[in-house]
Amino acid sequence: MSSSRLGLRLAVCLLNISEARRKHIVENIAKAALLGKNGKKHPEVSVLNIFSDQDYNRSVITIAASIDELNSSVLAACLEAFQSIDMEVQEGIHPCLGAVDLIPIYPLTGVGVEECGAVARSLAENLVRHVPGSSVFLFGEADLPEKRPLVQRRKQLGWFTRRDFSALEPDLGAAPARRCGLTGIGASPYVMNCNVTIDSQDLALGKEIASAIWGSNASGLKGVQAMAFPHEGKIEIACNVESFENQEVTETSEDSQYMAYSVLGDHFSYVSPHYIEAQVKKLASDRGIGTIGRALIGFTPQECKRCAEYAIKEGIGEFWKIRGGVFM
């Protein structure tokens, strides 16, 4: 049954928290998203996936919900996270500025990116109201009127290198407290996370490959932002893969360079994980090394929509526990 026939208006939050090594903490944060103030489960909320990386000490919790429930659901998860994660003692390879580091909201079905931006702004206001010491920077559709993209905001704030919060100026809230740090909240078309590991310990070489596929470079992949990190004794090329408006491509295969999907009649494309892996493999081969594998952090946009519709239709809040047997 289609989402339109179900009457669902769904969006998703890929909640990035600066904790992965204490599994019970991460799961408590995920479970908090499922409960309302009265302790009863939200009927139109599902945690679709939890991806935790020990080296990065970072987890991504995929929370799908009706657009009307998403604000309160994500806020509940954030409240639990701020109680449990202390940035003064947090350690990990991945750059981060906040205990709750990033809250991006993406439309899935029946909802536009502008409405997701309004939800993101409301969530930001609620967060600084409910969590003393929390502070927020806005990006994308939540950052009005400029609508600055996340990568621009991160560069402005020194996210890639900085861990000193004292000089940061938030958009909302007080100056960042050392325990909470700074949280990014925004909305955009879906951004997928795709990582490829190369069979090398040479970080400089990894950075060359990441730079070569970065979308703003002449030979880069459109919508891709890539970084290289040491990971489990090798080097991982970690990619943010943005969706971009594309009215021309409407049908694609898994082996295509671009994958296409639509939300509310707007058509979007993104570089396929298969193609990203192939390009990294070629660049690595040109330098005399191989690749080990690819990891998709959660879902493609189409997979996320399909899983969200199924989980919410069936009332499966803890979908992450069963997803392997349903679609994969």
Side-chain angles (χ1 to χ4, degrees):
M1 186 181 293
S2 71
S3 58
S4 59
R5 288 177 65 189
L6 289 169
L8 297 178
R9 301 178 62 247
L10 302 179
V12 66
C13 172
L14 271 60
L15 183 67
N16 287 240
I17 59 172
S18 298
E19 176 60 64
R21 296 169 185 169
R22 297 177 293 170
K23 182 180 178 181
H24 69 286
I25 294 293
V26 176
E27 290 202 350
N28 284 344
I29 293 166
K31 290 175 181 178
L34 300 174
L35 301 178
K37 292 180 180 179
N38 57 6
K40 294 183 179 180
K41 287 188 177 181
H42 287 293
E44 292 190 342
V45 178
S46 179
V47 176
L48 301 181
N49 192 61
I50 300 175
F51 186 97
S52 295
D53 191 291
Q54 301 275 323
D55 280 4
Y56 290 172
N57 201 14
R58 186 179 186 87
S59 296
V60 180
I61 302 172
T62 304
I63 305 168
S66 68
I67 193 67
D68 297 325
E69 298 283 353
L70 190 62
N71 188 324
S72 60
S73 175
V74 175
L75 179 62
C78 290
L79 294 177
E80 181 69 26
F82 279 118
Q83 289 180 4
S84 307
I85 303 169
D86 184 350
M87 288 301 290
E88 289 196 88
V89 297
Q90 196 271 357
E91 294 180 348
I93 294 170
H94 201 286
C96 60
L97 285 175
V100 176
D101 195 53
L102 191 66
I103 308 176
I105 296 175
Y106 310 133
L108 290 178
T109 182
V111 178
V113 69
E114 297 84 2
E115 189 171 0
C116 289
V119 170
R121 288 192 300 276
S122 175
L123 175 60
E125 293 167 357
N126 287 334
L127 189 65
V128 298
R129 185 182 308 120
H130 286 90
V131 181
S134 66
S135 54
V136 169
F137 74 88
L138 302 172
F139 64 90
E141 290 291 330
D143 178 42
L144 299 178
E146 294 94 336
K147 298 185 180 181
R148 291 167 291 182
L150 176 60
V151 66
Q152 180 182 343
R153 298 300 337 262
R154 281 176 161 174
K155 286 180 179 178
Q156 290 170 342
L157 294 163
W159 179 87
F160 297 97
T161 57
R162 180 187 294 174
R163 289 299 292 269
D164 177 14
F165 310 130
S166 58
L168 295 175
E169 296 185 4
D171 296 323
L172 293 171
R178 295 189 64 83
R179 178 181 173 87
C180 296
L182 181 65
T183 300
I185 303 181
S188 72
Y190 199 100
V191 178
M192 181 180 66
N193 304 113
C194 178
N195 300 345
V196 182
T197 301
I198 60 174
D199 191 10
S200 173
Q201 297 179 335
D202 188 337
L203 182 59
L205 187 149
K207 289 181 177 179
E208 283 183 17
I209 294 173
S211 177
I213 63 172
W214 190 287
S216 60
N217 293 334
S219 59
L221 305 179
K222 187 172 182 178
V224 172
Q225 297 146 11
M227 297 179 287
F229 300 113
H231 187 259
E232 298 181 350
K234 301 296 182 180
I235 300 298
E236 186 167 72
I237 312 301
C239 304
N240 283 354
V241 186
E242 295 180 340
S243 299
F244 52 89
E245 288 195 48
N246 187 348
Q247 300 299 326
E248 297 177 359
V249 179
T250 57
E251 293 186 10
T252 54
S253 68
E254 187 175 340
D255 293 333
S256 301
Q257 178 174 353
Y258 297 109
M259 302 296 290
Y261 68 100
S262 62
V263 181
L264 281 184
D266 293 324
H267 298 286
F268 300 94
S269 294
Y270 62 94
V271 180
S272 75
H274 174 84
Y275 191 80
I276 291 170
E277 183 179 21
Q279 292 303 107
V280 171
K281 184 176 289 189
K282 180 181 183 302
L283 290 164
S285 177
D286 291 344
R287 291 160 174 80
I289 59 173
T291 58
I292 294 175
R294 179 186 79 205
L296 189 64
I297 316 305
F299 307 92
T300 66
Q302 299 97 316
E303 289 170 341
C304 191
K305 174 178 177 286
R306 189 169 72 248
C307 289
E309 290 173 352
Y310 178 86
I312 290 172
K313 177 172 70 76
E314 298 295 331
I316 306 170
E318 297 182 350
F319 185 78
W320 87 84
K321 294 183 176 180
I322 68 163
R323 62 172 288 229
V326 177
F327 291 108
M328 308 303 164

